[in-house]
Amino acid sequence: MICCCETPADTVAPEPVLAQNWRESLGDDELSLEDAKPTPELSATGQGPAGKGLDVSPYEDVIPSPGSTSRPLALELATGQKLRATCLYHTLESFGFHFAVSSLATASFTSEQADKLYLKSYDTENVQVFISHCWRDKRFPKLVALWIRFNLYPALLCSSIVGAIVFVASLSKQRVEEDEMMTPSVLLAGVGTFFLSLAFWHHVPFRLGCRQSSLFFDKLCVYQYESDLRQQGIDSFAAYIAKCDEILVLWSPEYFTRLWCTLEMAALVKTHADSGKLPLYFMPLGLAKAAFLSWISLALLCLARELQILLDTFYWMADFVVLTPLLILNALIFGLAIDRYAQARRSLTNQLETFDVRESRCAFESDRETVYHTIREWFTDLDGFNNNVRLHVRDHVANSLGWEFHFPKRLTFPPMLFSIFAQLDKIAAGDFEDQTMFKIFAFIADIARLGALIPIFILLSYCFAKMGRRWLAFILFVICAWCLQSFLTFGEQVLHEGTPVWLCLLEVASQWVTYLLTVKASWIADAVLSRCILGG
């Protein structure tokens, strides 16, 4: 069985194009950042140093083609040409090492280095996911976005299994030793397994020789040394997109300002114009980063709640000395992560509504001519493409992401699972032996409460977004976040002590209704919330 991450045995490398060491093994060594040294900045024509004439950005999203003709790019591969694909393991190796360079346009590779990169991809008849991204964006958000896209559900499954095993072991230990002291063993094991699986799950199928999703990643699937093979890969970008099952857009505010990114979007719209559906998976990098940092913050919150119960046994000031500073730190994490995502998400709406390919930037005017010529061939004129992005792409993004203040439901699952782990620790310690019915109600309500916490914070962020003084809006947001977390941590027992059953049922229902309203992208909730908050 051939792993999809390996080059098939019958694949013959084009000997005249690549260096002599084409057939050498890759080995375990990695390219250092010094291996890709930036070349001198070029002028708009690509013939000399910049600074004499047009002011051209030294960065570009894909490999530039200085001196290329303005011929349109084809949506079909050339005769005898095959698709190239790689796997997630190679794309994310060394914690996203390949995303570390700020630009492929200004990176120079030797033939040996280019061979090593190219050997990480293979010929294929089908590519499942085309990774579309801007090279100017930082490495960490891209890494987290790909973790979430491909490893989230395996991480949830693995952590659930480990948490269940530790829970059963804790129950057995409690019954044998009659130890009723609560320890956060299930929470620590479950949360630790979740983050480890999120970061490393793609290693498992690769090491076992199993087939992974086939990905098109430009740095590995396009030859990086000056040659006809390199130019052939550049000219085939539109055809690659047309042959892929899904386009994964790692969006940032930079994305729609780069010319080659707009070409990728044009190829997507053109090849799926008849179907009316775009195979577009839109992942804002700010959303991925905000979700990841919020998960860490909520894991700390769950741990704080368990420590509060444990420390109160020994020290009555533990709440204020240990937990309050932790909650303030969590509020700051929430504030930084969510506020930045909220600002970026608002800019996405504006970018899509006012999109104009003429405003996109590129490093070489010859590239601009090629892209413009291609778009005119596909859409008659540039305005026709602009209208497609403003209408079709915008509608697709709105349907998949929801309104600006919407938080995807799947990203609320980790905090809800953390809540379950924390409650299982209480059960293992025998905490549910008295007032069992009330604590079951509290258990169910707490799952929805933690699931709705991040969406509520995003709503709060938009409530303060219209304030002219950003520093004041940030301070108010942090105060509100701290109050909500304090309410969850310190107020739960006081709020529910001796509560009648009917009131417990009402609270459980209200918590789950709140959760569903904040994550369910129904047109009713969106319309009401957008009118109240955004004035739409």
Side-chain angles (χ1 to χ4, degrees):
M1 179 177 181
I2 297 177
C3 174
C4 74
C5 307
E6 302 171 352
T7 305
D10 57 355
T11 300
V12 180
E15 297 285 0
V17 177
L18 300 182
Q20 295 180 355
N21 64 341
W22 167 263
R23 300 185 184 278
E24 293 179 358
S25 173
L26 279 176
D28 295 328
D29 58 318
E30 297 291 347
L31 299 176
S32 64
L33 290 177
E34 288 76 13
D35 290 333
K37 297 180 180 178
T39 58
E41 188 176 342
L42 299 178
S43 67
T45 61
Q47 302 299 323
K52 299 179 180 179
L54 296 177
D55 182 17
V56 180
S57 170
Y59 302 100
E60 185 53 51
D61 302 324
V62 297
I63 311 165
S65 51
S68 64
T69 65
S70 61
R71 66 187 184 278
L73 304 182
L75 290 172
E76 297 293 334
L77 294 173
T79 304
Q81 184 182 3
K82 291 186 179 182
L83 291 171
R84 299 286 296 183
T86 186
C87 64
L88 190 64
Y89 174 82
H90 287 313
T91 303
L92 296 184
E93 61 186 342
S94 301
F95 290 95
F97 167 83
H98 294 303
F99 292 102
V101 295
S102 60
S103 172
L104 285 183
T106 56
S108 178
F109 299 93
T110 66
S111 60
E112 291 79 9
Q113 294 165 357
D115 289 350
K116 286 185 178 181
L117 293 173
Y118 201 60
L119 275 171
K120 296 177 186 291
S121 63
Y122 57 93
D123 288 341
T124 183
E125 298 296 331
N126 175 262
V127 177
Q128 293 173 290
V129 180
F130 183 103
I131 301 176
S132 179
H133 65 107
C134 173
W135 279 103
R136 298 187 68 176
D137 294 323
K138 294 182 179 180
R139 165 184 179 177
F140 176 70
K142 294 179 184 178
L143 176 66
V144 172
L146 292 173
W147 281 350
I148 293 175
R149 171 63 181 87
F150 294 100
N151 293 351
L152 176 59
Y153 289 116
L156 291 171
L157 178 61
C158 291
S159 59
S160 298
I161 294 174
V162 170
I165 294 174
V166 174
F167 170 66
V168 172
S170 299
L171 273 180
S172 302
K173 179 182 177 181
Q174 190 266 341
R175 289 175 179 174
V176 172
E177 301 180 3
E178 297 183 355
D179 183 8
E180 296 185 359
M181 178 176 292
M182 188 186 73
T183 57
S185 54
V186 178
L187 179 63
L188 292 176
V191 169
T193 302
F194 171 79
F195 284 109
L196 286 175
S197 301
L198 186 69
F200 297 105
W201 172 257
H202 53 278
H203 289 249
V204 176
F206 178 80
R207 297 300 181 186
L208 295 178
C210 302
R211 184 169 294 274
Q212 289 183 279
S213 298
S214 56
L215 312 176
F216 181 90
F217 177 45
D218 47 4
K219 187 175 181 180
L220 304 183
C221 297
V222 174
Y223 191 56
Q224 297 299 318
Y225 187 69
E226 288 287 353
S227 64
D228 292 339
L229 180 61
R230 176 176 182 262
Q231 189 61 46
Q232 186 183 61
I234 297 171
D235 294 341
S236 301
F237 260 80
Y240 292 150
I241 292 177
K243 301 294 184 182
C244 291
D245 297 336
E246 176 187 294
I247 311 300
L248 172 61
V249 174
L250 304 181
W251 177 85
S252 73
E254 286 280 347
Y255 183 85
F256 283 110
T257 68
R258 311 309 298 175
L259 186 65
W260 281 91
C261 289
T262 63
L263 175 67
E264 294 170 7
M265 193 60 60
L268 172 66
V269 174
K270 175 62 178 178
T271 54
H272 296 85
D274 296 334
S275 64
K277 293 184 178 180
L278 301 179
L280 180 63
Y281 190 99
F282 216 83
M283 172 60 78
L285 296 180
L287 173 64
K289 186 176 179 180
F292 183 74
L293 294 178
S294 298
W295 294 343
I296 295 176
S297 180
L298 288 177
L300 292 175
L301 174 61
C302 290
L303 181 62
R305 293 165 66 182
E306 291 204 22
L307 289 176
Q308 182 250 343
I309 297 174
L310 180 63
L311 294 177
D312 274 351
T313 307
F314 306 102
Y315 184 41
W316 68 275
M317 286 289 291
D319 292 350
F320 303 99
V321 174
V322 178
L323 302 183
T324 300
L326 180 59
L327 295 181
I328 295 175
L329 176 63
N330 275 10
L332 290 173
I333 295 175
F334 271 119
L336 292 173
I338 293 178
D339 183 65
R340 291 182 180 179
Y341 165 64
Q343 294 183 48
R345 183 65 178 85
R346 289 173 69 89
S347 70
L348 171 59
T349 302
N350 181 67
Q351 279 188 342
L352 292 175
E353 291 178 349
T354 62
F355 175 80
D356 191 341
V357 67
R358 299 178 186 88
E359 297 179 0
S360 300
R361 299 189 297 271
C362 66
F364 302 101
E365 286 305 310
S366 57
D367 286 346
R368 184 179 298 278
E369 295 170 6
T370 299
V371 172
Y372 281 6
H373 194 175
T374 302
I375 292 176
R376 290 190 182 101
E377 285 283 328
W378 294 347
F379 299 94
T380 305
D381 56 28
L382 299 182
D383 289 331
F385 170 57
N386 291 339
N387 291 333
N388 271 279
V389 172
R390 294 170 187 174
L391 297 176
H392 299 151
V393 176
R394 184 198 64 182
D395 291 344
H396 182 88
V397 171
N399 291 334
S400 60
L401 288 180
W403 285 93
E404 293 178 357
F405 45 80
H406 174 68
F407 191 76
K409 180 170 60 177
R410 67 185 180 279
L411 302 184
T412 65
F413 293 159
M416 299 171 80
L417 187 60
F418 299 163
S419 173
I420 294 175
F421 291 152
Q423 298 293 338
L424 290 179
D425 278 325
K426 294 181 181 180
I427 295 176
D431 187 59
F432 275 54
E433 292 181 359
D434 58 326
Q435 301 185 18
T436 303
M437 182 174 293
F438 149 71
K439 290 179 179 178
I440 290 176
F441 286 140
F443 186 172
I444 298 173
D446 189 68
I447 297 173
R449 190 182 296 116
L450 272 190
L453 194 58
I454 301 176
I456 289 174
F457 284 161
I458 290 180
L459 288 173
L460 283 175
S461 179
Y462 277 96
C463 288
F464 298 128
K466 292 185 178 181
M467 296 182 62
R469 298 179 179 179
R470 295 299 306 160
W471 63 270
L472 181 58
F474 178 77
I475 292 176
L476 291 176
F477 176 83
V478 170
I479 292 174
C480 290
W482 176 75
C483 291
L484 277 174
Q485 291 185 100
S486 299
F487 170 75
L488 292 178
T489 304
F490 302 121
E492 185 177 358
Q493 291 84 3
V494 176
L495 184 64
H496 297 291
E497 193 83 31
T499 305
V501 174
W502 68 269
L503 197 54
C504 288
L505 288 171
L506 182 61
E507 183 191 348
V508 170
S510 66
Q511 295 290 350
W512 279 96
V513 167
T514 301
Y515 169 74
L516 293 175
L517 283 177
T518 54
V519 300
K520 185 72 174 178
S522 64
W523 67 271
I524 298 176
D526 286 340
V528 172
L529 291 174
S530 64
R531 185 171 298 276
C532 293
I533 296 177
L534 301 179

